Amino acid sequence: MFKKRENVLEIEEGNLLSPKFDNDGLIPVITMCSQTKEILMHGYMNVEALKKTIETKEAHYYSRSRKAIWHKGKTSGFTQKVTEIRIDDDQDCVWLRVDVKGGASCHVGYRSCFYRSIPIDRDNSKVVLQFEEKEKVFDPEEVYKGAPNPTKL
Amino acid sequence: MFKKRENVLEIEEGNLLSPKFDNDGLIPVITMCSQTKEILMHGYMNVEALKKTIETKEAHYYSRSRKAIWHKGKTSGFTQKVTEIRIDDDQDCVWLRVDVKGGASCHVGYRSCFYRSIPIDRDNSKVVLQFEEKEKVFDPEEVYKGAPNPTKL
């Protein structure tokens, strides 16, 4: 399914898929809600996850905390139906547009993982984050039932 | 400007900025066009680039190919005026909304770096990328005048 990366012109201007996986075998993925156009999450795929995503049209990632393929929504029920896949100029990043069953993508319970903003119109010597989502869409305690939190210090 | 990462609850649910930089000192950045909501590029920031972006409201990245701070648009003129900055749940990814002077963000000449899609509604044994932008916005030869291409095999 993937063509070997052999020359820059082909990678940038050609029509063959030659994704670049980093030293850990991963490629970053931006996931956007098809409806609202907001960014839901930023994740990573390995070769298998990218192939599975293309083949099944459901988003698969690689979980760096669990070190395993991660069929998004398998635990929570919030699967992501892929409506478009884009690849960037040097083919080292993927952009997915998805429809989310249930409407949430964040393990903390919010719709988007990006539920806080860094205010830019004030004195920034001390940054105070602003919550852009006021309420959680689901209760993570209930949905994940004691599964380890993927957030690492 | 940044608070030390000390506990997960504070990172996820708190209002202090505690960005996580990876082993190379970088945090990934998703850059979206404020107007069209399309993804323009995916880049990286180091501590200095994130601080400069917050302070100046113009996007600064870290160029992995040049190993240097990169004030986007300094060469091409296509600076990115930041209209919103978001941070994700575990604070290891930044999402910028920007207005682009000149309307282009891709070193190949297109408006967005993500000018090609991976078709999902056909037999995917051989993927043929589809161009979603038909024409370049600028001529990179003219704008970058022989500067080395950042794309790596």
Side-chain angles (χ1 to χ4, degrees):
Chain A
M1 187 187 279
F2 304 151
K3 188 182 173 303
K4 199 177 161 211
R5 292 170 70 90
E6 288 175 318
N7 78 73
V8 168
L9 188 66
E10 211 172 67
I11 291 166
E12 290 184 344
E13 309 264 13
N15 65 0
L16 294 178
L17 183 58
S18 301
K20 181 169 190 164
F21 296 90
D22 67 15
N23 291 338
D24 297 320
L26 302 178
I27 188 167
V29 182
I30 300 163
T31 306
M32 174 188 274
C33 173
S34 301
Q35 311 298 319
T36 63
K37 311 273 189 283
E38 74 195 317
I39 306 301
L40 296 173
M41 54 179 281
H42 178 275
Y44 294 87
M45 291 177 179
N46 63 1
V47 169
E48 189 189 347
L50 180 53
K51 284 186 175 169
K52 276 212 154 85
T53 300
I54 295 172
E55 282 163 2
T56 66
K57 297 170 201 168
E58 289 209 354
H60 289 70
Y61 302 91
Y62 181 82
S63 164
R64 293 175 301 167
S65 57
R66 292 197 301 271
K67 301 193 196 315
I69 282 275
W70 165 31
H71 179 187
K72 176 73 183 168
K74 206 178 166 191
T75 304
S76 67
F78 304 137
T79 51
Q80 297 177 338
K81 187 163 173 29
V82 176
T83 61
E84 189 180 52
I85 311 176
R86 297 262 191 127
I87 188 105
D88 73 340
D89 43 19
D90 55 354
Q91 302 205 27
D92 71 352
C93 183
V94 171
W95 164 21
L96 301 182
R97 288 192 215 243
V98 302
D99 289 330
V100 184
K101 201 178 138 189
S105 287
C106 170
H107 76 280
V108 181
Y110 294 99
R111 200 174 62 242
S112 160
C113 294
F114 294 85
Y115 47 86
R116 288 169 298 182
S117 66
I118 300 170
I120 53 172
D121 289 326
R122 58 184 76 171
D123 166 33
N124 280 307
S125 52
K126 189 172 182 243
V127 173
V128 179
L129 299 176
Q130 185 171 309
F131 279 73
E132 301 293 341
E133 291 192 36
K134 304 299 178 197
E135 280 181 31
K136 295 191 180 185
V137 178
F138 69 96
D139 177 0
E141 295 284 339
E142 210 163 282
V143 168
Y144 295 112
K145 293 186 183 71
N149 189 322
T151 297
K152 305 288 175 221
L153 292 182
Chain B
M1 188 185 281
F2 305 150
K3 186 183 174 301
K4 199 176 162 211
R5 292 169 71 89
E6 288 175 318
N7 78 72
V8 168
L9 187 67
E10 209 172 69
I11 291 166
E12 289 184 344
E13 310 264 12
N15 66 0
L16 294 178
L17 183 58
S18 302
K20 181 169 189 163
F21 296 90
D22 68 13
N23 292 337
D24 297 320
L26 302 178
I27 188 168
V29 182
I30 301 163
T31 306
M32 175 187 272
C33 173
S34 301
Q35 311 297 319
T36 65
K37 310 270 188 285
E38 74 194 319
I39 307 301
L40 296 173
M41 55 178 282
H42 177 275
Y44 294 87
M45 290 176 177
N46 62 1
V47 169
E48 188 189 347
L50 180 53
K51 284 186 175 169
K52 276 212 152 85
T53 300
I54 294 171
E55 283 163 2
T56 66
K57 298 172 200 166
E58 289 210 353
H60 288 70
Y61 302 91
Y62 180 83
S63 165
R64 294 176 302 166
S65 58
R66 292 196 301 268
K67 300 193 196 315
I69 282 274
W70 165 31
H71 180 188
K72 176 73 182 168
K74 206 177 166 192
T75 304
S76 66
F78 304 137
T79 50
Q80 297 178 337
K81 187 165 174 28
V82 176
T83 60
E84 190 181 50
I85 312 177
R86 297 263 191 127
I87 188 107
D88 73 342
D89 43 19
D90 55 353
Q91 303 204 28
D92 71 352
C93 183
V94 171
W95 163 20
L96 300 182
R97 289 192 215 242
V98 303
D99 290 330
V100 184
K101 201 177 138 189
S105 287
C106 170
H107 76 280
V108 180
Y110 294 99
R111 197 175 62 243
S112 159
C113 295
F114 294 84
Y115 48 85
R116 288 170 298 182
S117 65
I118 300 170
I120 52 172
D121 288 328
R122 59 185 73 171
D123 165 36
N124 280 308
S125 53
K126 189 172 182 243
V127 173
V128 180
L129 299 176
Q130 187 172 308
F131 279 73
E132 302 292 341
E133 291 192 36
K134 304 301 179 196
E135 281 181 32
K136 295 191 180 184
V137 178
F138 68 97
D139 177 358
E141 295 285 339
E142 211 162 280
V143 169
Y144 295 113
K145 294 188 182 73
N149 189 322
T151 296
K152 305 288 175 220
L153 292 183

